């Protein structure tokens, strides 16, 4: 990883025990051998701030469920516990940051700190803020699968009022930055402005996910989320020491360097696409996949009363496809091994890889241009610490 400032460590599916273990080991290697000291996770800014002191050793291990929403706990609980143990064992400590929208896809985690800040520096916005908070309080799901339908149930004029109100606040904050920063300090202004930008993107993604579930979504609409993730990471990079080194932990589809498509349908320009353009060889992406015959997969809608809106169930998979990473390993007799494939090698086999598993499907993508390396495990079982 010489010369890399940002190394992303992916996963081919959420809630997989083996991926959590592999990520923990890769992160420890990057920390101990290469000095990586910032951990950027696929979770919201407020979520990362809440769990940061715990990861550094504060409190008891059993405190974690009280610090994170259920969805984030299921996504990262096992990994965070491993990293806390490593720190207790003398491993290099991490500063943790959240670079994503809230995994609940709700607005209050970002609007509440904006409201608190504006009450102090710009009380004239109180009326506008009250209306936004009132609407945001009606979106309380535990994930996009629950929050997007709640957004869709709002009257159209309230949906539009939320979007317009957030845009008005952003324009006003930008126009009055000298006054706000002069009153409360530049760092507090920048942080509040970042929270507001997260709320604006969450508002857009509620609409996008609602349309996606309804089958009326626009191509590449989820790019808005990934663009925010890239912007948020750059925001943090600009505020750390010049030699800070960051490990990004997110799904393969977020870290890959090429557009995300499923069965030819364009889904997103991922965060990794933007980081590769901005950072060049200072950005490296390590994808994680598996050669197992089944995978834990999200299924929705969930039974009535579920706060998450989905369940997770094992689903069978077809044998690895020809031309895929998994298929090449099977042909080489390595399907039962843990392997690390260096994609920077100019070998004919690497150049021919054009497919890779993602969740319960197989994606068409130029593998060697999408990742720098692929770590493959032979099994993919449900993380036993999940609360599904």
């Amino acid at each position: 990883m010489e010369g890399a400032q940002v190394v992303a460590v992916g996963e081919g599916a959420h809630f997989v025990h083996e991926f959590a273990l592999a990520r923990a080991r890769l992160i420890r290697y990057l920390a101990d051998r290469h000095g990586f000291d910032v951990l950027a996770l696929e979770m919201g800014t407020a979520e990362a701030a809440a769990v940061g002191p715990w990861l550094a050793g504060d409190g008891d291990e059993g405190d974690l469920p009280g610090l994170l929403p259920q969805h984030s706990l299921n996504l990262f609980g096992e990994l965070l516990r491993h990293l806390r143990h490593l720190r207790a064992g003398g491993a290099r400590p991490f500063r943790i940051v959240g670079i994503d929208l809230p995994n609940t896809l709700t607005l209050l985690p970002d609007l509440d700190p904006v409201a608190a800040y504006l009450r102090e520096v710009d009380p004239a916005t109180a009326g506008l803020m009250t209306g936004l908070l009132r609407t945001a309080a009606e979106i309380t799901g535990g994930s996009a699968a629950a929050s997007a339908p709640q957004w869709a149930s709002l009257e159209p004029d309230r949906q539009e009022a939320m979007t317009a109100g957030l845009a008005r606040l952003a324009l006003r904050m930008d126009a009055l930055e000298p006054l706000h920063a002069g009153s409360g300090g530049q760092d507090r202004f920048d942080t509040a402005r970042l929270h507001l930008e997260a709320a604006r993107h969450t508002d857009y993604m509620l609409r996008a996910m609602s349309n996606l579930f309804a089958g009326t979504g626009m191509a590449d609409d989820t790019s808005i989320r990934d663009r925010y993730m890239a912007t948020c990471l750059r925001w943090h990079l600009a505020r750390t020491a010049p030699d800070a080194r960051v490990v990004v932990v997110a799904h393969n589809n977020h870290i890959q360097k090429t557009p995300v498509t499923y069965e030819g349908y364009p889904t997103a320009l991922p965060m990794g696409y933007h980081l590769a353009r901005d950072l060049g060889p200072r950005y490296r992406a390590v994808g994680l996949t598996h050669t197992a015959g089944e995978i834990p997969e999200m299924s929705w809608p969930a039974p009535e009363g579920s706060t998450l809106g989905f369940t997770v169930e094992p689903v069978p998979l077809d044998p690895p496809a020809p031309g895929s990473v998994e298929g090449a390993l099977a042909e080489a007799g390595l399907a039962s091994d843990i392997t690390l494939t260096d994609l920077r090698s100019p070998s004919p086999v690497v150049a021919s890889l054009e497919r890779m598993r993602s969740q319960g499907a197989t994606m068409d993508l130029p593998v060697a241009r999408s990742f720098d390396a692929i770590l493959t495990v032979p099994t993919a079982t449900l993380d036993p610490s999940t609360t599904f």
Side-chain angles (χ1 to χ4, degrees):
M1 295 301 171
E2 293 299 325
Q5 183 181 14
V6 177
V7 173
V9 179
E11 61 178 355
H14 292 312
F15 318 117
V16 174
H17 172 64
E18 290 81 356
F19 289 160
L21 295 179
R23 285 171 142 182
R25 293 177 182 178
L26 279 172
I27 291 167
R28 181 172 189 178
Y29 167 79
L30 290 168
D32 290 351
R33 299 290 185 88
H34 297 280
F36 283 76
D37 53 2
V38 178
L39 189 65
L41 294 180
E42 185 184 336
M43 64 171 59
T45 298
E47 295 169 289
V51 80
W54 177 90
L55 186 63
D58 287 2
D60 298 323
E61 182 172 339
D63 294 341
L64 183 59
L67 300 174
L68 289 175
Q70 184 185 13
H71 190 18
S72 293
L73 180 66
N74 288 334
L75 285 171
F76 293 110
E78 185 173 16
L79 173 63
L80 290 172
R81 291 184 183 96
H82 281 299
L83 296 179
R84 179 178 160 105
H85 291 162
L86 291 177
R87 184 203 171 279
R92 185 184 181 100
F94 276 99
R95 182 169 69 87
I96 181 174
V97 297
I99 58 168
D100 199 358
L101 306 176
N103 283 314
T104 55
L105 205 63
T106 53
L107 291 151
L108 287 179
D110 289 297
L111 279 185
D112 280 340
V114 174
Y117 175 74
L118 290 178
R119 276 195 294 269
E120 178 182 335
V121 302
D122 193 2
T125 60
L128 174 58
M129 200 75 240
T130 297
L132 293 175
L133 291 173
R134 185 183 300 116
T135 301
E138 297 183 33
I139 302 170
T140 60
S143 77
S147 293
Q150 290 176 344
W151 177 89
S153 70
L154 296 173
E155 292 295 324
D157 60 339
R158 298 186 69 198
Q159 297 171 356
E160 297 301 330
M162 172 65 74
T163 301
L166 292 172
R168 288 177 62 194
L169 276 183
L171 290 170
R172 181 175 174 86
M173 284 189 71
D174 290 345
L176 299 182
E177 177 179 355
L179 298 180
H180 290 180
S183 173
Q186 188 67 48
D187 185 64
R188 290 186 62 208
F189 173 87
D190 291 343
T191 300
R193 188 63 182 80
L194 180 68
H195 276 294
L196 180 54
E197 205 57 28
R200 293 181 69 194
H201 283 74
T202 298
D203 174 66
Y204 188 100
M205 286 303 300
L206 284 165
R207 186 185 301 270
M209 294 305 295
S210 178
N211 291 339
L212 180 66
F213 294 144
T216 59
M218 292 189 292
D220 285 324
D221 218 13
T222 59
S223 300
I224 282 74
R225 176 188 174 193
D226 277 273
R227 179 65 180 179
Y228 171 81
M229 293 173 74
T231 299
C232 192
L233 178 60
R234 289 195 297 268
W235 188 93
H236 285 289
L237 285 174
R239 284 156 178 78
T240 59
D243 58 349
R245 309 189 80 185
V246 182
V247 181
V248 173
V249 183
H251 195 283
N252 285 349
N253 291 166
H254 292 305
I255 72 168
Q256 70 184 64
K257 301 177 182 182
T258 56
V260 179
T261 62
Y262 279 94
E263 298 181 350
Y265 183 80
T267 303
L269 289 181
M271 169 182 61
Y273 176 89
H274 299 293
L275 295 179
R277 292 184 68 197
D278 294 344
L279 300 176
R282 291 188 294 137
Y283 174 69
R284 306 285 177 82
V286 181
L288 269 63
T289 189
H290 67 96
T291 51
E294 66 177 27
I295 190 75
E297 181 62 290
M298 292 175 282
S299 174
W300 57 77
E304 187 174 351
S306 168
T307 59
L308 288 178
F310 67 90
T311 60
V312 175
E313 304 169 358
V315 297
L317 299 175
D318 294 331
S324 68
V325 173
E326 302 82 9
L329 291 171
E331 290 178 10
L334 299 172
S336 299
D337 299 333
I338 298 174
T339 60
L340 181 64
T341 304
D342 184 353
L343 298 175
R344 296 169 298 174
S345 165
S347 73
V349 173
V350 166
S352 70
L353 298 176
E354 55 187 17
R355 296 181 182 86
M356 184 172 167
R357 284 175 166 175
S358 181
Q359 296 295 135
T362 296
M363 292 178 56
D364 294 326
L365 78 169
V367 177
R369 289 197 289 114
S370 301
F371 302 96
D372 295 282
I374 300 291
L375 190 149
T376 309
V377 295
T379 56
T381 57
L382 180 65
D383 177 352
S385 71
T386 58
T387 58
F388 295 108

